[in-house]
Amino acid sequence: MEDTKKLRQERIGLFRAATANQKTDRIPHRSYFTTWMFFDAGFRLIEAAEDYDKQEQSVREHYEKYHWDGMACGPQCNYGISRTLGTNWYHYDAEADAISCVDQPMIREYGEIQEYIDNPKKFIYEKWMPRKYEAFNDELPTERMQAVFTARDAYFAAAAKIGRLADEFGLPPMAQAMAPITPLEHMIDYYLGIKETSILMRRDAALFQAFADAICNYACEPAYRVIDALPDGPNLDYAFDGHIMLLAHTLLNRKQFEKYYWPYISRGLKAFTDKNKTVHIQLQGKGMYFLEHLQDQPKGLLDLQPELDDVFEVRKMLPDMCLSAGVSLNMLGHGTPEDCVAQARKICEELGGHGLILTQDKMGAYPKDCKTENLLAVSRFVQEYRT
């Protein structure tokens, strides 16, 4: 146990030093894989999605094969809880071995936006929940509710059991707190969908802003208050103090970004950095206008994981910022072990002098996202590479 505690602290030190834009003795290697690990362990998606023992086996094998410095130690899918409530959002395609989410806006007419603004909790319980979950209504049978509680308890028990693998492997928890996604992402994911959100933004800017403010007050501010209540300074039990994810920024022009997106992202960043806390920023799509704002952020506190931006150009633009960069999923899924190691070596040699965490450019979720032999080759390379 002492050895794993020592290993965990060593790994936390590596992540912290890299985020401070320092040179590290070796480059920390972080997994950005989720359900791909099911396939890598020999399971079909639906098998593991409904079986927490198989998820635990997948997480165990994912570490034991590749010896990550950081990875998610927990259930990778909670499909069972949603199914118990009778959701019609998720559909399993047996031929493709994939679970898809059907876009079903929960606000069906503009008048309902005002209903949410007036009383978010009332709208969610009386309209949103019954629309998402067919069993959620005034006549919800006791036995169905008990099945939901049983599924919930099973998930939490699995989370605790799988989470203990982190202690066994000496893996650090990755972040103490997560900033909320923005109101725009709430609108797209939970209420209107992409098309209707875009139409509302252009058709009625005042209503759009009122809707965004209501979402922020109800869904975002409680998370901000948690961050605000944290003590000043870093928490050295974690690889990072905070985590921020950007999803919907690529849908906006510059004016819309500045008005409807950046204020909420900057609120989360400021909550962490004012307390001298580090933040891992997960940037999906291209950074666009966001990268310009990062030039004014405090140095030594941020780690940026770009998805589609050229990491070498990002380093030129943000020379004092840590980058989580790595071999592309396209290469891991379709290249050779030699190709993948060459890409990893280029990243380590050109960026590894300071502020580098090696990972993957996108989340690995599907069977063809990665070949086992390619990831093994990269893993062996980074374990042996020294700066």
Side-chain angles (χ1 to χ4, degrees):
M1 182 61 74
E2 287 302 317
D3 287 343
T4 56
K5 287 183 177 179
K6 182 178 179 181
L7 182 57
R8 171 178 282 177
Q9 289 306 311
E10 174 192 327
R11 285 166 164 162
I12 289 173
L14 285 171
F15 283 113
R16 293 276 172 177
T19 304
N21 203 33
Q22 298 171 0
K23 181 178 180 179
T24 53
D25 293 334
R26 65 180 183 84
I27 295 172
H29 195 199
R30 179 180 183 180
S31 170
Y32 194 28
F33 289 95
T34 55
T35 52
W36 177 82
M37 65 178 72
F38 299 165
F39 308 111
D40 194 39
F43 301 120
R44 289 178 63 80
L45 177 59
I46 198 65
E47 287 183 278
E50 297 183 325
D51 187 330
Y52 292 127
D53 289 337
K54 289 182 172 63
Q55 293 195 36
E56 179 184 4
Q57 182 179 335
S58 301
V59 171
R60 175 178 290 280
E61 290 188 17
H62 193 59
Y63 176 80
E64 291 177 340
K65 276 185 182 179
Y66 308 110
H67 299 282
W68 306 98
D69 292 305
M71 61 173 277
C73 280
Q76 301 299 306
C77 183
N78 60 355
Y79 187 49
I81 299 176
S82 295
R83 288 191 66 188
T84 304
L85 265 173
T87 183
N88 55 6
W89 273 25
Y90 306 107
H91 294 282
Y92 175 66
D93 183 332
E95 184 176 350
D97 197 17
I99 296 173
S100 59
C101 179
V102 179
D103 187 11
Q104 298 188 45
M106 293 295 104
I107 286 182
R108 307 289 169 79
E109 54 187 51
Y110 277 1
E112 292 184 338
I113 295 175
Q114 191 61 51
E115 291 181 36
Y116 179 97
I117 293 170
D118 293 339
N119 193 330
K121 184 179 292 187
K122 184 175 186 291
F123 177 84
I124 289 170
Y125 276 90
E126 293 185 359
K127 291 192 174 180
W128 191 91
M129 289 289 286
R131 287 172 181 173
K132 181 174 181 181
Y133 301 108
E134 62 184 24
F136 193 91
N137 54 57
D138 292 338
E139 300 176 358
L140 181 62
T142 302
E143 59 270 19
R144 176 66 74 96
M145 203 64 233
Q146 185 57 55
V148 172
F149 292 147
T150 299
R152 178 205 61 187
D153 293 345
Y155 174 80
F156 286 136
K161 185 181 179 186
I162 299 173
R164 286 193 287 272
L165 293 178
D167 297 328
E168 180 180 338
F169 300 145
L171 289 164
M174 296 311 297
Q176 182 180 15
M178 183 169 181
I181 58 174
T182 69
L184 178 65
E185 278 128 4
H186 279 267
M187 290 186 202
I188 291 171
D189 292 346
Y190 305 128
Y191 298 109
L192 294 172
I194 293 175
K195 179 181 177 181
E196 292 302 323
T197 298
S198 299
I199 291 173
L200 177 64
M201 188 189 305
R202 291 159 176 81
R203 178 181 293 172
D204 194 334
L207 182 59
F208 182 94
Q209 187 64 64
F211 191 20
D213 290 343
I215 292 172
C216 185
N217 291 334
Y218 181 73
C220 303
E221 281 300 331
Y224 291 139
R225 288 195 291 270
V226 170
I227 301 169
D228 292 339
L230 295 173
D232 290 351
N235 185 333
L236 299 181
D237 291 330
Y238 294 83
F240 305 96
D241 297 301
H243 183 152
I244 290 178
M245 181 184 296
L246 284 82
L247 301 169
H249 60 287
T250 55
L251 303 174
L252 307 175
N253 60 37
R254 181 181 293 275
K255 184 178 178 180
Q256 292 164 342
F257 177 87
E258 300 291 347
K259 184 175 183 180
Y260 298 127
Y261 203 83
W262 173 244
Y264 303 102
I265 293 296
S266 62
R267 169 75 169 85
L269 279 173
K270 185 174 174 57
F272 286 117
T273 58
D274 279 358
K275 291 177 173 288
N276 199 36
K277 292 184 177 297
T278 60
V279 187
H280 171 69
I281 303 171
Q282 188 176 332
L283 179 62
Q284 296 199 359
K286 281 187 172 291
M288 302 169 67
Y289 327 110
F290 175 67
L291 295 177
E292 299 172 14
H293 285 283
L294 289 182
Q295 294 176 314
D296 300 324
Q297 294 299 310
K299 293 180 173 60
L301 293 178
L302 304 183
D303 166 53
L304 176 66
Q305 183 178 357
E307 183 180 62
L308 295 181
D309 294 284
D310 184 316
V311 292
F312 303 103
E313 293 302 315
V314 174
R315 174 52 60 87
K316 292 176 184 177
M317 185 177 184
L318 302 168
D320 300 316
M321 184 170 294
C322 177
L323 295 180
S324 279
V327 180
S328 70
L329 279 194
N330 185 56
M331 182 72 74
L332 286 168
H334 303 284
T336 66
E338 293 75 19
D339 294 333
C340 295
V341 169
Q343 192 178 75
R345 184 184 302 278
K346 176 179 173 65
I347 291 168
C348 291
E349 290 179 350
E350 297 192 23
L351 304 179
H354 60 89
L356 176 66
I357 296 166
L358 195 70
T359 182
Q360 303 81 47
D361 63 342
K362 300 181 185 68
M363 183 181 294
Y366 300 100
K368 293 183 180 180
D369 280 347
C370 183
K371 296 177 183 176
T372 299
E373 61 268 27
N374 288 348
L375 191 56
L376 281 170
V378 172
S379 176
R380 294 186 187 112
F381 163 76
V382 74
Q383 287 169 35
E384 298 171 359
Y385 185 86
R386 293 295 180 269
T387 57

